[in-house]
Amino acid sequence: MYKLKKIGDINQSLIDGKIALIGTVIGIEKEENYDKLEIEDSSGKILVSKNKSIEIASSSRVLVFGTVKITPKGLIIFSEAVVDVSESSPKLLGKFMEKIENYDI
């Protein structure tokens, strides 16, 4: 089950937990096997690993489903899905966020 979280609420108590978050891509680090996205929302910033086959541009608004892990550099989200929601209406996105909060997915 994924829990919708603000980035500022992600801490070590959530390690290995499944979370969903919505934020804006503010940076992209290219690596050999995967990329890291730096995501921010109004509460903070976090790194999200993603499969190289997923094309996401900087400044895109994204919905991330993933697992919280800890690395020597700090907390990171290992993504299972990263969806660009930049073109979604705020009203539709709000309804979707309600569904995530109210149901086991």
Side-chain angles (χ1 to χ4, degrees):
M1 168 173 55
Y2 292 91
K3 299 278 188 187
L4 184 63
K5 295 287 184 187
K6 289 280 196 187
I7 293 171
D9 296 332
I10 299 170
N11 57 44
Q12 290 189 3
S13 70
L14 295 172
I15 291 175
D16 293 328
K18 302 275 189 187
I19 64 155
L21 64 89
I22 295 175
T24 302
V25 178
I26 59 170
I28 301 172
E29 292 180 31
K30 304 282 187 181
E31 304 231 344
E32 187 175 327
N33 298 320
Y34 59 90
D35 293 339
K36 289 181 189 168
L37 304 175
E38 186 174 13
I39 308 288
E40 83 172 347
D41 65 13
S42 59
S43 67
K45 300 176 188 176
I46 197 162
L47 288 177
V48 174
S49 72
K50 75 163 188 66
N51 185 307
K52 289 183 93 45
S53 67
I54 301 168
E55 291 295 322
I56 300 289
S58 190
S59 77
S60 297
R61 190 160 174 85
V62 292
L63 169 62
V64 175
F65 293 94
T67 305
V68 179
K69 297 290 184 180
I70 192 161
T71 69
K73 294 182 179 180
L75 294 176
I76 188 170
I77 308 299
F78 281 83
S79 68
E80 281 100 42
V82 177
V83 181
D84 187 339
V85 294
S86 300
E87 301 298 320
S88 299
S89 77
K91 188 174 181 179
L92 178 63
L93 201 49
K95 287 289 188 187
F96 187 72
M97 289 168 60
E98 282 179 28
K99 296 293 184 191
I100 293 171
E101 290 174 339
N102 294 323
Y103 295 103
D104 294 342
I105 58 173

